[in-house]
Amino acid sequence: MAEALSAFFKSPPDGIPGELIEALGRRVTTSDGVLPPRVFLEVVEQSPVAISITDTRANFVYVNKTFERLTGYSYEELMGKNQSILSYKVTPPEIYQQLWDNLLAHKPWSGVLVNRRRDGSRYLADLNVSPVLGVGGEASYYLALHRDVTELHELEQQVRNQKILIETVLDAALVIIALLDDQGRVLLDNMAYKKLLGDMRGREPAEFFLQDMTASNDGDVASGMVNHEICYQPESGAPARWFNCSGVWICTSGETADSYFVPGEERRLLLVANEITVQKQQQERIRTNALQALMAKQQLVHRTREILSGAMFRFQGPLNIVTAALAMLERREGGRDDPLYRILSDVHDSGEKVLESLDLSLPRESNEPVAPVNLNEIVHDVLELCTERMLSEGLLVDWQPAKMLPTILGKQYALRSLLKQLVDNAIDAIGEPGCQRRELIIGTLACDECIELTVRDTGPGIPRGKQFRVFEPFYSGWIHRTRQAGMGLTIAQEIAIQHGGSIHIDSQHADGCLVHVILPLKPPAYLLSGA
Ligand code: FAD
């Protein structure tokens, strides 16, 4: 090859490469002066890029060693042949056309062609061609540099295929997936995420999840988050949706030139969310059913206590008369020997025994523990429990909860019974004759060291004279519901007092009935001690 080079240099084909070399040699200078053109030729010869020079018809006049190695053709085989010797039919003719159009306009061209080697195998050639312009600006020769980029293309294709594969798998997944940069911008998402984006009417779900996760992790999601439950309440008023969300930080290498030698770390957050609305609704249904069963049990205990207490109360009347009669006979001389005294005495004793056994059979109420209670949640539970009844009565409910309501210390089930009694009464009141509007308004309000709960209905109301009596045992003023025992408000008042609070009917309220329940944040010591 050294000989071929030297021959080539001494007698360049058509004389032009010699001119070209000299021209380039004139531009390349060293401290000693002009770089010999031979050095330049050797550089070209030994270049790792396939270099060829052709005449204006694309006939080879020079190829370097790499060109020979890459195409499989020898220098001698190529001389005088056309570049089209490398053409392969899958390259579209328009590509060659662009190449030629550029060269004819004295412009360089670069692009990728499918080339065929001497042995028939193909490779992808990343080609740069440019005209070599003479002093008069005419193109006498063309210079071509090309590299085999088959492997690079295969790698790019593999990356592309993997991306398609990953995207297809992500899209098929039912879970919501998004990859975020450290500024919270979405870099990659799947179909489930896009669907949620549509449902949230343009609000970025990732931003919403991140806000919630950050808030509940003291402003930090740096350590990631696992199985965090998030509730989304649509502005349209549609039912709330629940998501179980996890965030995992992933560290990737930097992609910029700067990070080539000093790999910079880029942090990405992989957000994965599962919609658990159905499970939450099921849980809520189970909870409500359990509550309903518990309330029904408590109501049964209350009713049984009411009935037995009523029976004892009624029984006590005649027994008192017998006791009085016995006392009168005792005061009489010889009264104790009177046969009537013995009879009355037997009646009295067996009456006392009956009372005693009735008292023993009074079902005991369970001693519920004191715990922090959120009254808004209690109202929510009671409204859930009463939904069916309210719907069948065609009731319009207006629930006005205090936004920030402190918890109180109290007995959850007892307080739920208290409120349920008031709501049941309101529904009963609206069912009374002559009721025009069918509305129930419940509100909570945080006051100084206490919470006020109000239950208002648009029923017939309670006349002023009876506003205290309604709390007495066995008082019932209903017209339609005559079978009520009249213990509801008595029990409600008992619970309020037990919690150190109070309950009263608003005497100033004219349109229906308004009940105020005041409950202190901290109950009296006896409630806490469980006495
Ligand atoms: P061709 O008939 O050779 O050419 C196809 C079309 O190109 C023609 O229809 C015509 O429009 C245009 N064309 C061809 N010759 C000329 C011309 N002299 N003047 C104006 N337009 C013309 N091809 C490769 O396949 N692989 C290469 O690596 C490659 N390297 C090249 C390097 C240089 C410096 C040059 C100048 C050309 C190169 N070519 C290369 C193009 C090659 O010369 C052929 O044009 C191409 O291979 C198509 O060959 P073909 O036999 O299918 O059709």
Side-chain angles (χ1 to χ4, degrees):
M1 176 45 70
E3 282 164 22
L5 262 179
S6 139
F8 178 87
F9 181 65
K10 275 186 197 145
S11 166
D14 293 341
I16 293 301
E19 284 170 23
L20 179 65
I21 291 158
E22 276 172 36
L24 283 162
R26 276 197 297 279
R27 284 167 176 266
V28 185
T29 56
T30 65
S31 53
D32 302 335
V34 176
L35 190 72
R38 187 184 169 76
V39 175
F40 175 73
L41 186 60
E42 274 164 11
V43 168
V44 174
E45 183 62 16
Q46 291 166 29
S47 163
V49 179
I51 298 175
S52 60
I53 297 172
T54 70
D55 63 15
T56 50
R57 281 167 293 133
N59 290 326
F60 292 104
V61 294
Y62 170 75
V63 294
N64 73 349
K65 196 76 191 153
T66 307
F67 194 98
E68 286 180 288
R69 224 177 9 250
L70 181 58
T71 61
Y73 289 105
S74 69
Y75 181 87
E76 291 73 21
E77 279 175 314
L78 288 170
M79 286 311 109
K81 299 267 170 36
N82 194 277
Q83 288 270 17
S84 64
I85 198 172
L86 302 174
S87 74
Y88 187 64
K89 59 180 183 302
V90 295
T91 306
E94 307 85 68
I95 303 280
Y96 298 127
Q97 192 61 54
Q98 285 169 15
L99 178 155
W100 281 106
D101 287 348
N102 270 42
L103 288 180
L104 291 173
H106 290 182
K107 286 188 209 154
W109 180 88
S110 56
V112 176
L113 306 175
V114 179
N115 274 359
R116 184 175 49 185
R117 294 189 185 89
R118 188 175 192 275
D119 64 5
S121 61
R122 273 85 59 193
Y123 67 95
L124 275 180
D126 183 12
L127 180 68
N128 280 279
V129 290
S130 50
V132 180
L133 302 178
V135 189
E138 78 290 352
S140 319
Y141 289 85
Y142 295 136
L143 172 68
L145 311 174
H146 84 259
R147 283 184 313 130
D148 179 357
V149 291
T150 315
E151 269 184 32
L152 191 70
H153 169 75
E154 279 172 4
L155 282 174
E156 279 175 3
Q157 210 49 42
Q158 273 173 16
V159 171
R160 241 176 256 138
N161 287 343
Q162 268 178 7
K163 192 167 174 264
I164 292 172
L165 213 68
I166 290 169
E167 279 173 359
T168 312
V169 171
L170 288 185
D171 281 347
L174 296 175
V175 287
I176 296 153
I177 301 172
L179 186 69
L180 318 181
D181 66 11
D182 52 3
Q183 302 298 309
R185 284 180 297 241
V186 178
L187 303 173
L188 183 85
D189 56 12
N190 71 342
M191 283 305 281
Y193 182 91
K194 288 189 182 80
K195 187 173 176 305
L196 183 62
L197 182 70
D199 292 351
M200 289 173 95
R201 299 180 181 201
R203 180 166 186 194
E204 195 67 66
E207 188 193 333
F208 172 70
F209 290 151
L210 271 184
Q211 260 174 15
D212 200 287
M213 287 161 89
T214 315
S216 51
N217 208 25
D218 289 337
D220 168 44
V221 278
S223 49
M225 186 77 71
V226 181
N227 290 336
H228 177 70
E229 285 192 0
I230 297 176
C231 176
Y232 168 63
Q233 185 63 64
E235 277 166 21
S236 61
R241 293 175 68 176
W242 284 86
F243 299 90
N244 186 313
C245 198
S246 297
V248 182
W249 283 104
I250 303 168
C251 291
T252 56
S253 306
E255 289 162 5
T256 60
D258 292 349
S259 54
Y260 187 79
F261 291 109
V262 191
E265 214 180 58
E266 284 182 359
R267 276 157 56 86
R268 310 266 189 256
L269 182 66
L270 180 67
L271 266 187
V272 182
N274 236 331
E275 175 145 20
I276 50 165
T277 309
V278 174
Q279 291 94 312
K280 274 277 171 189
Q281 284 169 345
Q282 261 168 4
Q283 270 176 16
E284 187 60 20
R285 257 197 302 277
I286 292 170
R287 200 181 73 91
T288 311
N289 286 347
L291 261 183
Q292 222 147 15
L294 197 90
M295 298 283 288
K297 194 178 150 206
Q298 280 179 338
Q299 254 170 355
L300 188 70
V301 171
H302 280 316
R303 294 260 178 273
T304 315
R305 281 177 69 88
E306 276 174 38
I307 293 162
L308 287 179
S309 305
M312 284 163 73
F313 181 75
R314 303 252 187 266
F315 195 74
Q316 190 70 54
L319 200 63
N320 286 346
I321 296 170
V322 173
T323 312
L326 277 174
M328 274 171 59
L329 282 174
E330 271 173 11
R331 278 198 296 275
R332 264 195 222 156
E333 198 175 324
R336 285 181 180 267
D337 302 326
D338 192 327
L340 182 65
Y341 181 84
R342 267 200 310 280
I343 293 168
L344 284 179
S345 186
D346 288 348
V347 168
H348 177 267
D349 290 349
S350 54
E352 283 291 342
K353 274 188 190 135
V354 168
L355 269 184
E356 211 178 286
S357 59
L358 279 177
D359 188 48
L360 281 174
S361 53
L362 267 181
R364 304 289 155 212
E365 290 188 273
S366 58
N367 195 12
E368 198 194 332
V370 175
V373 180
N374 184 316
L375 278 183
N376 279 348
E377 281 171 18
I378 296 281
V379 178
H380 170 266
D381 286 349
V382 170
L383 289 177
E384 282 276 312
L385 289 170
C386 298
T387 302
E388 233 167 87
R389 246 196 107 198
M390 291 189 295
L391 282 175
S392 69
E393 291 286 343
L395 215 76
L396 199 75
V397 180
D398 184 2
W399 165 214
Q400 302 170 348
K403 287 232 161 73
M404 300 290 289
L405 198 67
T407 53
I408 66 166
L409 277 176
K411 297 188 172 187
Q412 214 184 102
Y413 291 114
L415 290 169
R416 208 177 277 121
S417 292
L418 182 160
L419 183 68
K420 174 123 183 346
Q421 190 54 55
L422 299 185
V423 172
D424 278 341
N425 281 356
I427 301 172
D428 285 345
I430 282 163
E432 287 291 282
C435 181
Q436 299 297 319
R437 281 166 43 228
R438 311 179 79 77
E439 288 169 30
L440 167 65
I441 304 104
I442 303 182
T444 47
L445 191 71
C447 312
D448 240 7
E449 297 299 308
C450 69
I451 286 174
E452 185 179 356
L453 173 80
T454 51
V455 179
R456 180 151 64 93
D457 65 66
T458 51
I462 301 172
R464 277 205 184 173
K466 294 181 176 167
Q467 285 176 352
F468 287 106
R469 281 202 62 202
V470 289
F471 293 102
E472 288 173 8
F474 308 111
Y475 174 85
S476 179
W478 299 121
I479 295 170
H480 266 179
R481 291 167 170 80
T482 46
R483 289 175 63 84
Q484 303 283 61
M487 286 296 288
L489 281 176
T490 315
I491 294 167
Q493 191 178 46
E494 216 177 278
I495 296 169
I497 292 169
Q498 193 188 30
H499 281 78
S502 65
I503 180 168
H504 69 273
I505 313 289
D506 195 322
S507 56
Q508 304 300 314
H509 186 73
D511 184 19
C513 177
L514 170 59
V515 185
H516 295 267
V517 181
I518 314 283
L519 293 165
L521 297 183
K522 280 195 190 130
Y526 61 80
L527 189 80
L528 292 170
S529 66

